[in-house]
């Protein structure tokens, strides 16, 4: 008798059948494991062995046993990955913290006479300081607002890695 099921190890053995034999049951060993992938920040694309595999968090996905390459990528972060060996019937978890790719912004506020002003600097709806301001932000497109006495000025800027946007 041979017991087979896709993704399980087959069992082959000899069985003596007589008038008392009602059934023959065997438990098959899985030829797969499970993998969970988490990242900080979450919501980033995952590739498994070079192929798209969803976005983090990926929870307890069935995967063939053996070695696999997990990579979490996003253009705003430095890629982070790990080699993982999935054992039969086991659950592995890969957690990665990605470092941001940064650029800078420099913000000044002046009145009509050219005098410097102390105004709030708001980036993507989050207050980050007062003018004059120079600081690091993650690369990509950002909405920068300068607020003073209830009035505001805003502009969308694209921050590039290792460059300062004025």
């Amino acid at each position: 008798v041979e017991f087979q099921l896709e993704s399980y190890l087959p069992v082959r053995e000899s069985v003596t059948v007589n008038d008392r034999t009602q059934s023959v049951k065997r438990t098959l060993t899985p030829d797969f494991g499970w993998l969970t992938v988490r990242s900080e920040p979450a919501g980033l694309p995952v590739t498994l062995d070079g192929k798209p595999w969803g976005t983090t968090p990926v929870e307890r996905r069935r995967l063939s046993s053996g070695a696999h390459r997990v990579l979490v990528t996003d253009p705003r972060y430095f890629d982070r990955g790990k080699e993982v060996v999935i054992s039969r019937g086991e659950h592995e978890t890969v957690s990665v913290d990605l470092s941001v790719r940064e650029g800078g912004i420099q913000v000044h506020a002046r009145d009509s006479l050219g005098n410097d002003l102390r105004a709030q600097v708001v980036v993507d709806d989050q207050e980050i300081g007062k003018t004059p301001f120079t600081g690091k932000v993650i690369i990509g497109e950002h909405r920068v607002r300068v607020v003073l006495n209830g009035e505001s000025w805003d502009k969308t800027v694209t921050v590039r890695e290792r460059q300062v946007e004025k």
Side-chain angles (χ1 to χ4, degrees):
V1 175
E2 185 168 359
F3 297 87
Q4 293 182 345
L5 183 60
E6 187 177 344
S7 299
Y8 288 81
L9 298 175
V11 173
R12 180 182 289 182
E13 61 184 63
S14 296
V15 177
T16 302
V17 178
N18 58 35
D19 59 350
R20 292 186 197 162
T21 306
Q22 292 186 2
S23 64
V24 178
K25 295 180 183 178
R26 296 295 179 268
T27 300
L28 301 179
T29 303
D31 193 22
F32 58 87
W34 296 270
L35 179 62
T36 293
V37 181
R38 296 187 180 115
S39 71
E40 185 56 46
L44 301 180
V46 178
T47 59
L48 181 75
D49 301 327
K51 296 178 183 160
W53 212 51
T55 57
T56 59
V58 176
E59 294 291 338
R60 199 170 166 85
R61 283 265 285 284
R62 193 164 122 172
L63 185 60
S64 62
S65 58
H68 297 278
R69 174 86 177 133
V70 177
L71 186 63
V72 179
T73 62
D74 185 276
R76 299 168 300 159
Y77 299 88
F78 291 101
D79 295 350
R80 182 64 66 79
K82 184 177 180 183
E83 289 280 335
V84 63
V85 176
I86 302 297
S87 301
R88 292 178 178 137
E90 298 295 318
H91 178 219
E92 296 292 331
T93 299
V94 171
S95 296
V96 294
D97 290 331
L98 280 78
S99 300
V100 297
R101 294 178 184 269
E102 293 177 320
I105 60 169
Q106 189 176 71
V107 183
H108 294 276
R110 294 187 180 96
D111 64 16
S112 59
L113 301 174
N115 298 313
D116 286 335
L117 300 172
R118 287 291 279 169
Q120 282 182 326
V121 178
V122 180
V123 176
D124 300 328
D125 298 321
Q126 206 169 22
E127 185 179 344
I128 61 169
K130 298 235 182 245
T131 59
F133 176 84
T134 301
K136 294 180 181 180
V137 294
I138 190 170
I139 63 172
E141 195 172 277
H142 297 280
R143 180 173 170 232
V144 177
R145 281 189 313 128
V146 178
V147 182
L148 180 65
N149 299 330
E151 293 188 30
S152 68
W153 170 91
D154 65 85
K155 179 180 180 182
T156 300
V157 297
T158 301
V159 177
R160 291 171 183 76
E161 190 169 9
R162 297 187 189 138
Q163 295 181 16
V164 176
E165 183 68 28
K166 296 181 181 183

